[in-house]
């Protein structure tokens, strides 16, 4: 079964601290993985996709097929990073995404 | 380009009624997907339409249905509304296969069932 697990509902860190939001997936084929972010009162927006291997707003994520993980990392958190983060698993290049439950990141001053 | 547009943004319905939500995808996008977002269940995939055909379907009862028109605009319908259908309904669009499936979301339609 296809599944995405984000074990932390809330992650609270101080500004300048490193951040790691965990994501594990279950998928039998070749996974397509994404991180979406939802800032307060804004629409869900794509942050990263594994295939791009890019860094957006200082965030990176590496696909680890051995550990079936796609953790999101940032070396120095900023207050504006406070938001809800969702890990999502794509399905065969279609519009279907399976989302994790989301992790609220709270960056304290 | 204009983003994914959903109407209405907010609505209140009574149990037993039915509701239709509308979505206009980003120009040129042919895939439209619908998601339900609730505090308890999170984001759940409802269905996807591509070129007016349902391509994927989630695990929702038959009361939830959708369709897509030739201009890629989509509607979803929920019949015989239940209190548990209260949720944010998100529409998303993406380009054709082969162009990568970066999926763009609308702001959603907030449905309250009383």
């Amino acid at each position: 079964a296809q599944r995405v697990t984000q074990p932390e509902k809330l992650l609270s860190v101080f500004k300048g601290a490193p951040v790691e939001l965990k994501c594990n997936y279950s998928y039998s084929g070749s996974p397509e993985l994404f991180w979406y972010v939802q800032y307060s009162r804004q629409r869900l927006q794509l942050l990263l996709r594994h295939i791009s291997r890019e860094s957006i707003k200082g965030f990176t994520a590496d696909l680890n097929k051995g550990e079936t993980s796609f953790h999101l990392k940032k070396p120095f958190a900023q207050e504006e990073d406070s938001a809800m983060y969702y890990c999502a698993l794509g399905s065969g290049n279609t519009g279907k995404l399976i989302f994790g439950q989301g992790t609220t990141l709270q960056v304290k001053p | 380009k204009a983003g994914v547009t959903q109407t209405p943004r907010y609505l209140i319905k009574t149990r037993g009624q039915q509701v239709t939500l509308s979505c206009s995808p980003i120009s040129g996008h042919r895939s439209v997907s619908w998601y339900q977002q609730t505090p308890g269940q999170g984001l759940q995939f409802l269905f996807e339409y591509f070129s007016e055909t349902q391509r994927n379907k989630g695990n929702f009862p038959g009361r939830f249905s959708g369709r897509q028109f030739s201009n890629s605009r989509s509607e979803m319908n929920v019949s015989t509304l239940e209190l548990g259908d209260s949720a944010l309904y998100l529409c998303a669009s993406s380009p054709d296969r082969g162009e990568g499936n970066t999926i763009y979301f609308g702001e959603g339609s907030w449905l309250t069932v009383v």
Side-chain angles (χ1 to χ4, degrees):
Chain A
Q2 299 173 15
R3 189 168 55 246
V4 176
T5 304
Q6 293 179 249
E8 302 135 331
K9 289 191 73 172
L10 172 67
L11 184 63
S12 186
V13 301
F14 285 101
K15 177 182 171 183
V19 169
E20 183 178 46
L21 288 84
K22 291 184 167 48
C23 171
N24 288 90
Y25 67 91
S26 173
Y27 186 65
S28 57
S30 188
E32 302 166 4
L33 284 153
F34 306 85
W35 277 99
Y36 278 82
V37 60
Q38 192 168 32
Y39 300 102
S40 180
R41 299 191 186 87
Q42 293 188 28
R43 69 181 69 197
L44 200 60
Q45 55 188 283
L46 179 67
L47 181 63
L48 285 175
R49 46 189 306 198
H50 89 274
I51 200 168
S52 302
R53 298 187 63 82
E54 57 195 341
S55 173
I56 303 292
K57 299 183 180 182
F59 285 98
T60 58
D62 289 316
L63 177 61
N64 186 323
K65 290 187 178 180
E67 296 183 359
T68 59
S69 68
F70 188 56
H71 302 328
L72 184 68
K73 299 177 184 179
K74 184 169 183 176
F76 307 104
Q78 302 299 313
E79 289 180 67
E80 56 265 30
D81 296 329
S82 295
M84 176 73 96
Y85 291 80
Y86 292 96
C87 183
L89 176 65
S91 177
N93 204 28
T94 69
K96 177 180 179 180
L97 290 173
I98 296 167
F99 284 91
Q101 286 293 96
T103 299
T104 300
L105 174 63
Q106 185 183 73
V107 182
K108 296 177 284 189
Chain B
K1 277 185 181 178
V4 178
T5 305
Q6 294 186 243
T7 57
R9 291 293 320 282
Y10 304 92
L11 66 168
I12 300 173
K13 290 286 188 178
T14 304
R15 269 184 303 175
Q17 286 187 314
Q18 64 108 24
V19 66
T20 299
L21 308 177
S22 182
C23 173
S24 293
I26 292 172
S27 178
H29 286 191
R30 292 166 61 191
S31 166
V32 174
S33 303
W34 289 89
Y35 293 81
Q36 183 194 64
Q37 187 174 22
T38 60
Q41 299 298 316
L43 279 155
Q44 293 186 286
F45 173 77
L46 279 155
F47 31 65
E48 179 200 12
Y49 287 86
F50 182 83
S51 293
E52 302 179 64
T53 302
Q54 189 178 83
R55 181 159 74 177
N56 280 298
K57 188 177 187 306
N59 295 323
F60 278 81
R63 299 185 298 108
F64 292 82
S65 62
R67 60 178 174 166
Q68 186 180 33
F69 303 96
S70 58
N71 61 0
S72 293
R73 195 176 66 82
S74 177
E75 289 180 347
M76 69 162 281
N77 184 277
V78 188
S79 62
T80 320
L81 283 165
E82 301 176 359
L83 295 178
D85 297 333
S86 295
L88 177 65
Y89 290 90
L90 294 173
C91 174
S93 75
S94 58
D96 292 2
R97 281 175 183 255
E99 295 181 28
N101 66 333
T102 298
I103 297 170
Y104 299 87
F105 284 83
E107 291 182 293
S109 292
W110 283 98
L111 170 65
T112 301
V113 182
V114 297

